Amino acid sequence: MSNYTEDDLEKDLDNQEYKFGFTTDIEADQAPKGLNEDIIRFISAKKEEPEWLLNHRLEAFEMWKTMKEPDWAHVKYKKPNFQDIIYYSAPKQTKKYESWDDVDPEMKETMKKLGISMEEQKRLTGTNIAVDFVMDSVSVATSFKEKLGELGIIFCSFSEAVKDYPDLVRENMGTVVPTSDNFYAALNSAVFTDGSFCYIPKGVRCPMELSTYFRINEGGTGQFERTLVVADEGSYVSYLEGCTAPQRDENQLHAAVVELIAKDNAEIKYSTVQNWYPGDKNGLGGIFNFVTKRGICGTNSKISWTQVETGSAVTWKYPSCILKGDNSVGEFFSVAVTNNYQQADTGTKMIHLGKNTKSTIISKGISAGKSHNSYRGLVQIHKNATNARNFSQCDSLLMSDESGAHTFPYIECRNSSSKVEHEATTSKIGEDQIFYCKQRGIGEEKAIGLIVNGYCKEVLNQLPMEFAVEAQKLLTISLEGSVG
Amino acid sequence: MIKIENLRASIGDKEILKGLNLEVKAGEIHAIMGPNGAGKSTLASVLAGREDYEVTEGSVDFDGTDLLDLSTEDRAREGLFLAFQYPIAIPGVSNINFLKTAIGEIREYKKEDPITAKEFMALVREKSKLVELDAKLASRSVNEGFSGGEKKRNEIFQMAMLNPKLAILDETDSGLDIDALRIVANGVNKLKTKGNATIVITHYQRLLDYIIPDFVHVLYDGKIVKTGGKELALELEEKGYDWIKEELANN
């Protein structure tokens, strides 16, 4: 990151409005609006799913009907009408893509606009990211499959995994986030349409970053994807996800479930750059991002979550770690930026079950405009978690007089040998800092970019290089014109 | 280089500069002294373009352009540099990145080619020697955890990197021990050319032992009330400001 300069930023600032707001004109195969058993059967049939999965969905649906939408988060929004959502939308395709060359040119164009350079990747064998591209409900293309296959690594869409590796899916799915976990997890379990699946075999270090790119395209649709990452004993994988959506006046619902399983001595690094459409300056439109993400650690294993959240109208998201195995490590690094009328309630849960378990939480919240940004975190030390350690640091930066920063840390400790530390700061972006930058010839937007990126450095440093640069730009663009 | 005529400026309802006149030519060093509250730092802030102050009257010609018409950043890009009395920290932003961004912006403004990484690093090496700045300091976050002396040396280092036409040093000597003072003064002296100019704002004569001014001005109650050579600074050191106040009262 040291050789990153702000030069390219200039160009990006020229189109500081949400630049992923375009729609792609691709014919879609859709289910009718609404949610009932028939729709679920329709989805399952479309996906040619086995009986057990259909039953799993139907059970989840029954459970969901008895559940209530959570209202404890520090966010206000009009509850979605679940009968007014299209639960299945797939880009129409006559046959399955046999190769990259079969992919619809419109689709390729979309990917190009999103900066997913699959074509380039195909040519350059030296690159180190494999991408799975999920548009609306369906995975469109996955690159580098064969190369990964040589190492026994499975990286494919969730639907393919259900067909090709049913035992692996059945054995692991729902073990970290059970269907009954919460309202949105239950909904997702009933109606999920696709997502990514990844399996790293014993002792294998995945040689490249695995990446899933999520895109909502069709209007009126919801996106419900599932990601399942299983890192078998002694393996390592770094996984990235990126998300964008077109600019629309309506609110669209995104309710995903991500499950990570790190077996003994394994390590999973999971990074997210979330840039769903945040709504316009007056708070119209934008994505409701209600996501359940959780990982479970075996002995000596490690799960590290890094997230940069700049998009969505409302974010409700707590990537968590269950530190079940002794000596396991959980990390959570987060930057959440809210501007205009955006609301974010995000944080993590670190559940210490094993001995000598360690967790670190670094959260940076930045609120601008009239937005509200909350950190909500739980550190739970169980009875048997001897010598457990936690360190939490939650910093909030206010960019305007009308924005709000809130911190809700919960600590539950049932073992006296454990050590839990919590630090929190709230500060306002300094006019003096901006003046200092300007006096050196740096314009206001660039100055804010510098200051904010500096503020978030500890978190951005956790991201893989390619993502870090993208995230830095995003932060600057999201905060455009926000000092006041 | 800079010509200030009848400059009046206020903060809130309070007028601080009350018709200030000052001309500084290329190649000159001017010292501005004066009692607390006379308006010395206000002058520096107004020239740099701090928005807290409102200019109510007067004009400032900066090398042929109307300075008051320019934004803060454009003033800097035109070659006006302020060495801050209290340099602020910017956590997480390295000095290197900060200066590279600044030089990039200035060059772009002047429609010059961007600086190459090689050129830039050579410049950093050369200029950091000037103020005996540890190379490590250059890669640390801007002013974060710097001692008082390091902050001031860093200001002069930045000045050396940006090579301004006019540098205003706002009480750069405050909080410096004698060694740091000498280092800072040496830096300023080495940067002096026939083409640039320096305004040194200070309370004390001791800085002027090292940076020899061509002119010394006394700023009192928002105006320059007395101008002389470097010996005026010695006189002020010895006698204080009361005699000047009396002189003014008698006139």
Side-chain angles (χ1 to χ4, degrees):
Chain A
M1 267 202 1
S2 55
N3 57 9
Y4 167 70
T5 67
E6 306 262 318
D7 294 343
D8 297 333
L9 209 57
E10 193 74 19
K11 279 173 242 136
D12 293 301
L13 284 174
D14 288 340
N15 77 67
Q16 311 116 351
E17 294 282 308
Y18 188 74
K19 71 166 177 177
F20 304 104
F22 59 87
T23 54
T24 308
D25 196 12
I26 293 176
E27 257 192 284
D29 186 5
Q30 289 186 336
K33 266 187 192 171
L35 182 55
N36 52 48
E37 219 182 284
D38 290 343
I39 291 287
I40 291 167
R41 287 182 189 281
F42 172 86
I43 294 170
S44 192
K46 273 276 174 198
K47 310 239 105 187
E48 298 163 18
E49 281 176 358
E51 185 80 22
W52 67 267
L53 194 49
L54 174 63
N55 290 337
H56 180 92
R57 286 176 182 279
L58 292 172
E59 277 167 34
F61 181 58
E62 285 307 313
M63 221 175 272
W64 177 75
K65 284 195 286 191
T66 66
M67 295 167 95
K68 276 212 172 88
E69 255 192 287
D71 55 6
W72 41 263
H74 192 79
V75 293
K76 279 187 202 139
Y77 60 94
K78 195 172 163 279
K79 301 254 187 294
N81 176 355
F82 293 98
Q83 295 306 334
D84 200 31
I85 293 173
I86 297 165
Y87 287 86
Y88 181 86
S89 172
K92 210 173 238 173
Q93 56 191 60
T94 45
K95 58 170 181 140
K96 192 167 164 40
Y97 302 128
E98 292 301 328
S99 78
W100 175 249
D101 301 324
D102 296 341
V103 177
D104 189 329
E106 280 275 359
M107 186 76 74
K108 283 186 187 168
E109 192 54 35
T110 304
M111 292 160 95
K112 216 165 111 192
K113 276 195 220 166
L114 295 169
I116 309 170
S117 52
M118 281 235 212
E119 287 197 299
E120 216 161 284
Q121 286 191 33
K122 266 177 46 101
R123 266 181 266 122
L124 307 167
T125 47
T127 54
N128 57 352
I129 301 182
V131 182
D132 183 23
F133 181 61
V134 178
M135 180 138 132
D136 290 336
S137 306
V138 196
S139 169
V140 174
T142 310
S143 64
F144 279 120
K145 230 176 200 169
E146 285 141 42
K147 199 172 165 194
L148 291 167
E150 288 166 19
L151 291 164
I153 296 171
I154 302 167
F155 178 45
C156 62
S157 72
F158 204 90
S159 314
E160 277 175 85
V162 168
K163 285 203 183 82
D164 299 345
Y165 314 96
D167 295 343
L168 264 179
V169 174
R170 199 172 177 179
E171 186 187 322
N172 292 293
M173 180 183 162
T175 57
V176 192
V177 179
T179 304
S180 58
D181 191 78
N182 68 67
F183 183 82
Y184 293 109
L187 177 63
N188 175 288
S189 303
V191 302
F192 75 92
T193 36
D194 212 334
S196 283
F197 175 80
C198 167
Y199 173 79
I200 315 290
K202 275 184 194 170
V204 171
R205 200 180 159 85
C206 184
M208 60 183 84
E209 311 276 352
L210 301 185
S211 168
T212 302
Y213 201 99
F214 294 104
R215 172 81 181 162
I216 296 177
N217 188 51
E218 285 299 319
T221 58
Q223 179 144 330
F224 306 92
E225 82 274 0
R226 277 190 94 94
T227 302
L228 176 57
V229 179
V230 182
D232 215 330
E233 289 171 25
S235 68
Y236 167 85
V237 63
S238 170
Y239 195 95
L240 320 171
E241 61 173 7
C243 341
T244 60
Q247 231 158 312
R248 293 184 193 284
D249 290 348
E250 61 184 6
N251 292 115
Q252 281 180 283
L253 178 62
H254 171 245
V257 169
V258 176
E259 294 179 286
L260 308 185
I261 298 169
K263 303 242 167 115
D264 296 352
N265 302 303
E267 181 177 347
I268 302 175
K269 196 172 154 58
Y270 196 99
S271 314
T272 304
V273 173
Q274 186 264 105
N275 186 26
W276 295 119
Y277 178 55
D280 70 4
K281 285 202 165 73
N282 303 312
L284 184 66
I287 303 294
F288 290 160
N289 191 35
F290 302 145
V291 174
T292 307
K293 292 183 166 180
R294 198 173 302 151
I296 188 162
C297 284
T299 307
N300 298 321
S301 73
K302 179 174 172 184
I303 288 179
S304 183
W305 297 100
T306 304
Q307 59 173 21
V308 174
E309 304 276 316
T310 60
S312 299
V314 180
T315 295
W316 178 96
K317 176 180 170 190
Y318 316 90
S320 304
C321 297
I322 301 170
L323 303 171
K324 190 176 169 207
D326 292 348
N327 310 314
S328 59
V329 176
E331 293 176 334
F332 175 73
F333 299 98
S334 170
V335 171
V337 180
T338 51
N339 197 357
N340 300 318
Y341 286 89
Q342 277 177 277
Q343 304 175 76
D345 193 302
T346 183
T348 185
K349 285 192 272 187
M350 292 291 174
I351 313 295
H352 292 254
L353 300 174
K355 293 184 181 63
N356 304 313
T357 46
K358 244 171 75 182
S359 64
T360 304
I361 299 171
I362 308 280
S363 162
K364 306 272 181 180
I366 300 165
S367 341
K370 297 182 178 180
S371 69
H372 281 272
N373 201 324
S374 305
Y375 167 80
R376 185 182 304 276
L378 170 67
V379 176
Q380 204 176 52
I381 314 270
H382 282 250
K383 215 168 56 203
N384 297 328
T386 310
N387 289 321
R389 293 277 179 277
N390 161 265
F391 173 76
S392 303
Q393 185 188 326
C394 306
D395 297 327
S396 308
L397 187 67
L398 292 167
M399 309 277 292
S400 72
D401 296 334
E402 290 175 285
S403 60
H406 316 269
T407 307
F408 305 98
Y410 302 88
I411 297 170
E412 294 170 14
C413 190
R414 294 197 188 87
N415 185 304
S416 58
S417 66
S418 63
K419 198 170 148 193
V420 178
E421 290 173 77
H422 182 91
E423 287 178 14
T425 66
T426 302
S427 50
K428 202 170 172 223
I429 192 161
E431 290 293 327
D432 286 345
Q433 287 176 327
I434 294 172
F435 181 69
Y436 191 79
C437 293
K438 282 183 174 177
Q439 209 301 306
R440 298 301 185 248
I442 303 169
E444 177 151 316
E445 298 304 340
K446 237 177 221 191
I448 292 169
L450 267 182
I451 295 165
V452 168
N453 278 305
Y455 177 79
C456 300
K457 199 172 189 176
E458 285 164 282
V459 175
L460 298 176
N461 279 349
Q462 299 294 329
L463 290 172
M465 183 67 187
E466 296 81 353
F467 255 36
V469 174
E470 190 61 29
Q472 284 180 319
K473 288 182 195 164
L474 251 181
L475 285 183
T476 308
I477 292 163
S478 313
L479 290 168
E480 158 70 7
S482 60
V483 170
Chain B
M1 174 70 65
I2 192 163
K3 193 172 183 188
I4 305 169
E5 285 184 304
N6 190 31
L7 185 64
R8 287 176 176 270
S10 345
I11 185 160
D13 294 336
K14 198 171 177 225
E15 185 170 60
I16 313 252
L17 299 182
K18 302 172 179 174
L20 185 141
N21 294 294
L22 179 68
E23 182 170 8
V24 177
K25 294 199 169 75
E28 293 177 349
I29 296 179
H30 288 236
I32 295 179
M33 301 180 78
N36 290 329
K40 299 190 298 293
S41 287
T42 298
L43 175 63
S45 295
V46 168
L47 292 179
R50 200 184 263 276
E51 281 163 14
D52 308 348
Y53 297 92
E54 194 194 346
V55 174
T56 51
E57 218 182 307
S59 67
V60 181
D61 178 274
F62 181 51
D63 213 19
T65 54
D66 180 357
L67 187 79
L68 300 178
D69 212 30
L70 298 177
S71 65
T72 302
E73 53 268 37
D74 283 351
R75 293 177 195 198
R77 292 163 184 167
E78 286 288 342
L80 185 136
F81 181 89
L82 173 63
F84 285 73
Q85 185 177 359
Y86 305 109
I88 193 144
I90 309 179
V93 179
S94 72
N95 255 325
I96 296 285
N97 190 10
F98 180 71
L99 282 168
K100 188 139 194 275
T101 307
I103 288 175
E105 293 261 283
I106 292 168
R107 288 205 173 196
E108 196 179 316
Y109 176 82
K110 292 181 174 169
K111 300 195 166 54
E112 293 170 1
D113 288 337
I115 192 164
T116 65
K118 204 177 151 194
E119 258 180 289
F120 178 76
M121 287 320 292
L123 201 62
V124 168
R125 271 194 296 276
E126 183 198 331
K127 302 299 182 187
S128 55
K129 275 191 211 129
L130 204 67
V131 283
E132 301 174 30
L133 196 73
D134 193 325
K136 276 187 219 136
L137 217 56
S139 52
R140 269 167 52 185
S141 293
V142 180
N143 294 322
E144 196 187 29
F146 284 28
S147 71
E150 284 172 338
K151 281 185 191 172
K152 296 301 174 77
R153 273 194 277 166
N154 192 30
E155 291 293 288
I156 304 305
F157 168 61
Q158 292 186 17
M159 172 178 156
M161 291 292 291
L162 301 180
N163 191 25
K165 283 195 273 193
L166 175 68
I168 303 168
L169 313 185
D170 188 6
E171 302 206 19
T172 297
D173 52 336
S174 69
L176 289 188
D177 63 32
I178 202 74
D179 292 329
L181 184 72
R182 201 162 45 222
I183 292 167
V184 162
N186 277 341
V188 173
N189 287 331
K190 281 184 195 152
L191 292 172
K192 202 194 153 195
T193 66
K194 278 186 200 137
N196 63 23
T198 313
I199 296 175
V200 182
I201 294 173
T202 181
H203 265 292
Y204 303 106
Q205 139 71 19
R206 65 169 194 169
L207 176 64
L208 305 179
D209 285 341
Y210 300 98
I211 303 174
I212 313 289
D214 299 297
F215 298 94
V216 175
H217 309 275
V218 177
L219 178 60
Y220 175 66
D221 195 24
K223 276 184 236 179
I224 302 283
V225 294
K226 198 170 184 65
T227 295
K230 62 177 191 270
E231 63 291 342
L232 176 58
L234 290 165
E235 201 178 348
L236 291 169
E237 179 88 349
E238 198 183 316
K239 303 201 307 204
Y241 292 102
D242 286 349
W243 62 282
I244 290 182
K245 292 179 192 170
E246 275 164 36
E247 251 185 43
L248 282 172
N250 294 338
N251 291 343

